[in-house]
Amino acid sequence: MKAVVKTNRTRGLELIEIPEPKLGPRDVLIKVHVASICGTDVHIDDWTNWAQQRFTPPHTIGHEFAGYVEEVGKEVTFVKVGERVSAESHISCGYCYQCKNGDREICRKSKLLGVDCDGTFAEYLSLPEHVLWKDDPHIPDKWASIQEPFGNAVDTVMSEDISSKTVLILGAGPIGLFAVGIAKACGASLIIVSDPNDYRLDIGKKMGANIAANPKKTDILKLVLEATGGNGVDVVLEFSGNTLALDQGLKSLTPGGRISILGIYETPVNIDLNKEVIFKKIRIYGITGRKIFSTWYKTSRFLSSGLVDPSPVITHTFSLEEYEKGMQLMRDGKCGKVILKLFQ
Ligand code: NAD
Ligand code: ZN
């Protein structure tokens, strides 16, 4: 079968023929129809410092997908041949302190699909049945493949009630853009989105942002204060992984507000805790992955009910052979979510 594989500890990926995966008794063989590209895949392609420390070649990359069950192991009961599935990308152990406490997203022995084991940029994929999610039949394939990053946005937006609140969203990458739609659907009264990329700001407006601002052209703190009668926003959602944006976010937050942070920073971050957090009585939430599987239920309902239409964010579709075109668009920031379509 065809697969996009990181074969060596150097920059680049290869589209090569590899054997189809073998199935254990509790594994499921899936024919991948649609896979979407995540920033992580670009990091692995580019062989960044993070990838060099985290990734051991050779592996097929990719962790976002929708596909059809082709074959099931002897002991599988959850899915049947022909059903459409996606999967939680964090393959948790099920036995550690965190797993036993119902926090499988922070499993201490978690394996990441397409990083620690063969991923989704391949014609076939084998996964343990316990990570599978049955896709709602009302959700098209492309939408089903973005449920994983959409779930990141769901948990960031919904770490506290957001209805009627004023919100600043930092970073309009695919996940920040999904967050705009989710915050809108949850009844946020004002959504300001900030990103230096004007192409992505336009998508932010389509997703329901009231104000879309470029921090290279606009003073974000001043804009927030003007838009909130001098109060600052109730909620900041951080999706940029940029320390300047984080600083703007903390300063833009009204005392007593909350900030939820999904963005990942390249270096340790300095925060004036006394001034920006303690005396302002700010609540900070670190967000990782998704709640397994409660976030998947929320995600599926947002998409199947029409509460959130993710179409404006899904900007490009390529074949598996064209994966490098998608990677390049992501490097250039000239896209929202890029999808690879493997089968019709
Ligand atoms: P992305 O890289 O596509 O988006 C980040 C956006 O931030 C870009 O559009 C960029 O232009 C923008 N940005 C850069 N500097 C900015 C600034 N000063 N102000 C405002 N915006 C700025 O990433 P994504 O796929 O949308 O993911 C969002 C973030 O979440 C990334 O940092 C990613 O690494 C992280 N992430 C975390 C988890 C987790 O489990 N914690 C999971 C997935 C992604
Ligand atoms: Zn565990």
Side-chain angles (χ1 to χ4, degrees), residues 152 171-175 194-196 200 215 239-240 242 245 262-264 287-289:
N152 293 135
I175 306 181
S194 163
D195 198 299
R200 290 182 162 179
F239 297 101
S240 75
N242 180 287
L262 185 90
I264 294 172
I287 310 294
T288 188

